[in-house]
Amino acid sequence: MSENTPKPGTKPLLGLYEGGRSWSASAPPKDTTNWAATALIVSIFILLASWKTLRDIYGALTELDVGGSVSAALLVLCGLVMLLLLRPATNSWRASVMAKNALAGNDLIAARIAAAASRESAFSTLGYGAVIVLLLAGAQFLMANDLAVSRTFVQLPLIFSSFGLVLKAFWVNVYIFVLAEVLVLIWGLIVAIARLMPGEAGRPVRMIATIYTDMFRGMPAIINIYLIGFGIPLTGLPYLKDLSPESYAIIALTLTYGAYVAEVYRSGIDSIHRSQVAAARSLGLSYMQTLRYVVLPQAVRRIIPPLLNDFIGLQKDTALVNVIGSIDAFNQARIVGANSFNLSPVTTVALLFIVITIPQARFVDRLLEREQRRTQS
């Protein structure tokens, strides 16, 4: 019987004897030479592919009459930056050799440290290499079919010449989503409170609020905008029939996103423990006072990240107002694109929306991380 085999009636030591195999704390680390060699080969291959792609990019820029000394210098700088991929690959190979030497000298601790460093460097090489491969694939796609993709979506002279018009129209989108966000916050809270009205007397209010949220969450935003933008003027209602297309868009988006935000509010309110409400009511606070001073301050702090996610969606949906004739950024880009038979102005609109939404998305991530650290502590 092996010395690591547990004796009858004793509990086996975890890791020393499991599945019929003995394991010792002095077991040597696995050889990482294959990982290191793979990382080195992959990095060299990606480096060669990068240089070829950069050369193709320079030829494409020259053909588009935007090449020059500045472009050449930037591409050369990119080629030099690509050399950094060799650093983790060579580190992985060097660490694998150190692990072998340490193992030959019976220094198991040093061998394990070096083997772990070799694997880490190899995986870093493969991870960064995957990112570079995706970038190279995107560059090659833009240059495909004799630059047909680039000429269709990224025609730089047209982007520069139409940028002023598109940016001016983009302020219509900014105006719509800023005003709509304020109204959505107010309207969504009203609907959420209506859905939580207590008692038998609140049943009709809860029913109306539930029907509203179900209906507007199930209706696509573009249909809601279309019905309100074209339907209300046809009704001839006083005051409402003479509103601008932007006002109709704000009403439609408020109704649509108010239903979503109401559910976010409701989930935040429901997340507050019932003992908080019971304690507030026992102190003599009314139901509305309990909501205002006890429940809502805690609930709002919890729902800020999902609220911001909804507002990011609202900002993107402002591009749908073109269906009712509002000259927003997308509609302006379509007009310019139709006149030039090119979609590059629409690419400008996409970039503008990306520029304003990415910082908000990162801000939401930071809020989620901070809330997670707070709750775990």
Side-chain angles (χ1 to χ4, degrees):
M1 180 180 294
S2 172
E3 60 179 0
N4 289 328
T5 304
K7 295 179 181 181
T10 61
K11 186 177 180 181
L13 295 177
L14 181 62
L16 294 181
Y17 187 84
E18 186 175 355
R21 296 171 55 189
S22 62
W23 179 85
S24 174
S26 60
K30 293 183 179 180
D31 187 13
T32 59
T33 305
N34 292 335
W35 280 112
T38 301
L40 196 58
I41 293 172
V42 167
S43 63
I44 294 174
F45 174 78
I46 292 176
L47 185 61
L48 296 175
S50 301
W51 287 346
K52 181 184 181 304
T53 302
L54 292 174
R55 184 178 178 181
D56 294 340
I57 291 174
Y58 180 74
L61 292 177
T62 304
E63 186 175 346
L64 294 173
D65 295 329
V66 292
S69 58
V70 176
S71 301
L74 291 176
L75 293 176
V76 169
L77 180 61
C78 290
L80 295 176
V81 171
M82 294 296 180
L83 290 172
L84 294 176
L85 188 63
L86 291 175
R87 182 177 179 180
T90 54
N91 288 341
S92 177
W93 181 263
R94 188 182 302 113
S96 67
V97 174
M98 292 174 59
K100 281 188 174 182
N101 295 335
L103 191 60
N106 292 324
D107 191 352
L108 291 178
I109 296 178
R112 285 175 178 154
I113 294 175
S118 177
R119 283 192 297 270
E120 181 69 20
S121 297
F123 294 155
S124 297
T125 303
L126 297 177
Y128 285 112
V131 174
I132 295 175
V133 167
L134 290 176
L135 294 176
L136 296 179
Q140 291 292 345
F141 175 73
L142 291 175
M143 294 183 293
N145 196 19
D146 194 22
L147 299 177
V149 177
S150 297
R151 296 179 190 277
T152 302
F153 297 103
V154 197
Q155 191 171 347
L156 295 179
L158 181 58
I159 289 178
F160 294 148
S161 63
S162 63
F163 183 78
L165 288 173
V166 175
L167 181 61
K168 183 178 180 180
F170 184 68
W171 289 111
V172 175
N173 298 85
V174 175
Y175 164 75
I176 290 173
F177 73 67
V178 167
L179 192 54
E181 283 175 4
V182 175
L183 295 177
V184 164
L185 282 173
I186 300 172
W187 177 240
L189 180 60
I190 294 173
V191 175
I193 293 175
R195 286 205 64 177
L196 295 172
M197 290 295 291
E200 186 65 26
R203 184 185 296 273
V205 179
R206 294 197 303 269
M207 186 186 313
I208 295 173
T210 302
I211 293 173
Y212 161 76
T213 54
D214 290 344
M215 182 175 66
F216 279 92
R217 284 195 301 165
M219 185 187 305
I222 190 171
I223 294 179
N224 193 15
I225 293 173
Y226 192 88
L227 290 175
I228 293 177
F230 288 115
I232 291 182
L234 293 176
T235 61
L237 293 173
Y239 304 108
L240 293 179
K241 66 181 179 63
D242 297 323
L243 294 178
S244 64
E246 291 78 16
S247 300
Y248 293 131
I250 291 172
I251 295 173
L253 291 173
T254 300
L255 291 175
T256 299
Y257 277 87
Y260 291 101
V261 171
E263 290 301 289
V264 174
Y265 273 122
R266 188 169 69 93
S267 64
I269 293 172
D270 286 338
S271 68
I272 305 302
H273 199 271
R274 295 302 176 188
S275 61
Q276 301 274 337
V277 178
R281 297 303 298 273
S282 66
L283 293 174
L285 273 70
S286 65
Y287 175 75
M288 296 304 296
Q289 288 175 329
T290 301
L291 280 179
R292 179 181 176 184
Y293 296 110
V294 178
V295 177
L296 285 179
Q298 300 180 69
V300 168
R301 196 162 97 181
R302 295 183 180 184
I303 64 174
I304 287 178
L307 275 180
L308 290 177
N309 282 327
D310 284 338
F311 287 156
I312 291 174
L314 171 60
Q315 292 169 15
K316 294 184 294 185
D317 278 350
T318 57
L320 299 175
V321 302
N322 70 92
V323 301
I324 57 175
S326 177
I327 306 299
D328 68 323
F330 181 53
N331 227 351
Q332 183 66 66
R334 286 179 57 194
I335 295 172
V336 176
N339 293 332
S340 58
F341 301 99
N342 194 275
L343 296 179
S344 297
V346 182
T347 303
T348 304
V349 179
L351 293 176
L352 289 174
F353 275 104
I354 290 172
V355 165
I356 66 170
T357 55
I358 286 182
Q360 296 176 73
R362 299 289 73 80
F363 181 63
V364 170
D365 292 340
R366 290 189 60 182
L367 288 178
L368 290 174
E369 292 174 1
R370 188 176 66 179
E371 182 66 20
Q372 186 177 11
R373 288 196 301 266
R374 188 183 67 84
T375 55
Q376 289 179 349
S377 63

